[in-house]
Amino acid sequence: MNGNGFQPVGVEMGELRGTHVPVLLERCLELLAPALGRNGRTVHVDATLGLAGHAEAVLAAHPNTVLIGLDRDTEALAHARVRLARFADRIHLEHAVYDELPDVLHRLGYPAVDGVLFDLGVSSLQLDAPDRGFAYAQDAPLDMRMDQTRGVTAEEVVNTYSHPELARVLRVYGEEKFAGRIASAIIRERERARITSSARLAELVRESIPAPARRTGGHPAKRTFQALRIEVNRELAALETALPAALDKLTVGGRVVVLSYHSLEDRLTKAALADRVRSKGPVDLPVELPGSGPTFRLLSRGAELPGEAEVAANPRAASVRLRAAERLDPEAARQGRTDRERYRRRVKAMHQPGTGSPGSGSDPRPAPGDGNGTDEEGEGT
């Protein structure tokens, strides 16, 4: 469904639900600026538009940038359209999940883009809306769909999945140590009456977890609610498809920034980027074989964490992990490896019998920088 023609669900326009503080906003702008600030028109994809805080800042900072904003939540899209109204001539807001990005770009006529931002997880709008069922601290119908126009609800998952299926969801997506016990409690409860309330589910989870384990790690239902939300919205499956697709669409010099909020998202992100920053050719060759070199470089050392000031101003940023990368020119990357290999051979020759040494007039300059990026290097260090 095109974002230009949707009707918002469950809210009157003008009534903004939830408080929205864009996470790591300045750092995101800093990382995207070299890609979006180039001469001529540039194209930026906000793959998780939400309430458009990041998108608004990007459009304000880069007057020649066209925004393509994706979100599966029609209510969020409605609010984003109002917020971005002054940029109406250079925005496309689309009702779509981020793994649909290639189809959206094809339909809009954009073969490539210069920037992509993924701000993953549940949005402030969804968390703060009690009728959406995302929050374990508020009683609401068990929905948890980010797109309320389609898909199964958390109520359906809780009341229809078998014990092994429930336990798998809680263990894999929630990393819940007591997944089996919680699944058993859910099965027993639904044999008496259908589970329809988020408060009742949270109570069942709390009762299933041993008292000593309840004293640490925050609310005992946190991991269960996370797991159900991921299952209902197919978040990890969509991300596993979306990240490689987004990387493929970036121009040379284009940049991607990913904000993750739990280890599962971050692991997928790390793996997707690691696959692009490594050379796939034999390590002992003096030159990079065509098509085997790294196609991206990392822009930070590992995952960047929020600072104390960021967390104090926005507690929801506490768990964020940022990773970013830039697309390389393949020929430049190949030449970089060739130069480095020549230097290594020259240094090795200097230490062979009968050759010069650093003290005999040789050139001990450092090797040319490769810019290929690993978890040990990056411009953010």
Side-chain angles (χ1 to χ4, degrees):
M1 176 178 174
N2 191 304
N4 296 329
F6 63 80
Q7 291 295 323
V9 176
V11 68
E12 294 295 328
M13 281 312 301
E15 176 198 351
L16 179 58
R17 308 197 293 181
T19 56
H20 179 55
V21 181
V23 174
L24 294 177
L25 177 60
E26 293 305 318
R27 182 59 174 147
C28 290
L29 291 175
E30 178 186 12
L31 287 165
L32 291 168
L36 301 182
R38 296 181 283 191
N39 291 334
R41 186 193 71 176
T42 55
V43 181
H44 175 59
V45 173
D46 193 319
T48 49
L49 184 65
L51 294 177
H54 288 101
E56 181 181 37
V58 165
L59 289 165
H62 300 286
N64 294 323
T65 294
V66 173
L67 171 80
I68 301 171
L70 278 58
D71 208 293
R72 67 177 86 192
D73 189 329
T74 55
E75 185 177 339
L77 282 166
H79 285 300
R81 184 169 299 283
V82 173
R83 183 171 192 163
L84 302 178
R86 70 186 189 276
F87 306 111
D89 61 335
R90 53 191 180 101
I91 63 173
H92 305 276
L93 305 189
E94 299 290 322
H95 180 210
V97 185
Y98 36 71
D99 62 352
E100 300 174 85
L101 175 60
D103 294 336
V104 171
L105 293 179
H106 177 73
R107 176 161 47 79
L108 294 176
Y110 292 99
V113 301
D114 302 284
V116 181
L117 173 68
F118 288 88
D119 185 9
L120 302 170
V122 64
S123 73
S124 298
L125 172 67
Q126 292 155 350
L127 278 175
D128 293 340
D131 58 308
R132 302 292 292 271
F134 287 96
Y136 40 77
Q138 299 173 322
D139 192 15
L142 275 173
D143 192 320
M144 296 194 193
R145 289 173 300 167
M146 293 177 177
D147 181 354
Q148 291 188 298
T149 68
R150 58 186 174 183
V152 300
T153 65
E155 179 182 336
E156 292 174 78
V157 172
V158 166
N159 287 284
T160 64
Y161 276 30
S162 68
H163 184 284
E165 290 173 320
L166 278 174
R168 177 193 60 80
V169 167
L170 302 182
R171 183 175 58 255
V172 175
Y173 295 155
E175 300 177 292
E176 174 57 71
K177 292 188 297 183
F178 303 102
R181 296 176 63 153
I182 295 169
S184 295
I186 289 172
I187 298 293
R188 287 194 301 270
E189 176 68 13
R190 77 189 196 192
E191 287 173 353
R192 291 190 287 267
R194 188 174 179 85
I195 303 170
T196 61
S197 158
S198 60
R200 180 58 185 141
L201 177 60
E203 183 182 8
L204 283 172
V205 174
R206 186 185 63 80
E207 293 170 350
S208 303
I209 295 177
R214 295 201 299 262
R215 299 190 187 109
T216 59
H219 197 291
K222 175 175 65 176
R223 291 177 296 276
T224 293
F225 274 62
Q226 171 186 297
L228 290 173
R229 189 200 82 219
I230 291 172
E231 173 71 6
V232 165
N233 296 289
R234 295 182 55 258
E235 292 176 46
L236 295 182
L239 182 61
E240 196 168 15
T241 301
L243 275 174
L247 296 175
D248 288 342
K249 291 296 182 181
L250 281 172
T251 58
V252 171
R255 293 185 166 199
V256 61
V257 178
V258 183
L259 303 177
S260 305
Y261 295 86
H262 58 74
S263 60
L264 301 173
E265 293 172 340
D266 187 51
R267 276 181 225 148
L268 282 177
T269 302
K270 181 179 180 180
L273 296 182
D275 183 59
R276 306 299 180 103
V277 302
R278 295 194 191 103
S279 170
K280 295 177 174 61
V283 295
D284 55 347
L285 286 184
V287 296
E288 192 81 70
L289 294 176
S292 67
T295 54
F296 280 78
R297 71 180 183 101
L298 299 183
L299 299 175
S300 62
R301 177 179 298 188
E304 291 189 19
L305 308 181
E308 292 182 4
E310 173 91 14
V311 176
N314 183 13
R316 287 178 180 166
S319 61
V320 72
R321 301 290 183 270
L322 181 150
R323 294 184 187 269
E326 178 184 64
R327 184 156 203 159
L328 296 172
D329 180 340
E331 281 306 309
R334 271 214 310 161
Q335 185 61 48
R337 180 168 175 180
T338 301
D339 291 343
R340 291 195 309 279
E341 183 60 29
R342 286 173 180 158
Y343 172 80
R344 291 189 185 106
R345 291 183 174 210
R346 189 168 71 246
V347 170
K348 184 177 180 181
M350 286 190 304
H351 295 283
Q352 298 300 316
T355 64
S357 66
S360 60
S362 62
D363 182 6
R365 289 176 295 179
D370 62 359
N372 291 340
T374 67
D375 269 356
E376 287 71 48
E377 61 178 295
E379 69 180 40
T381 59

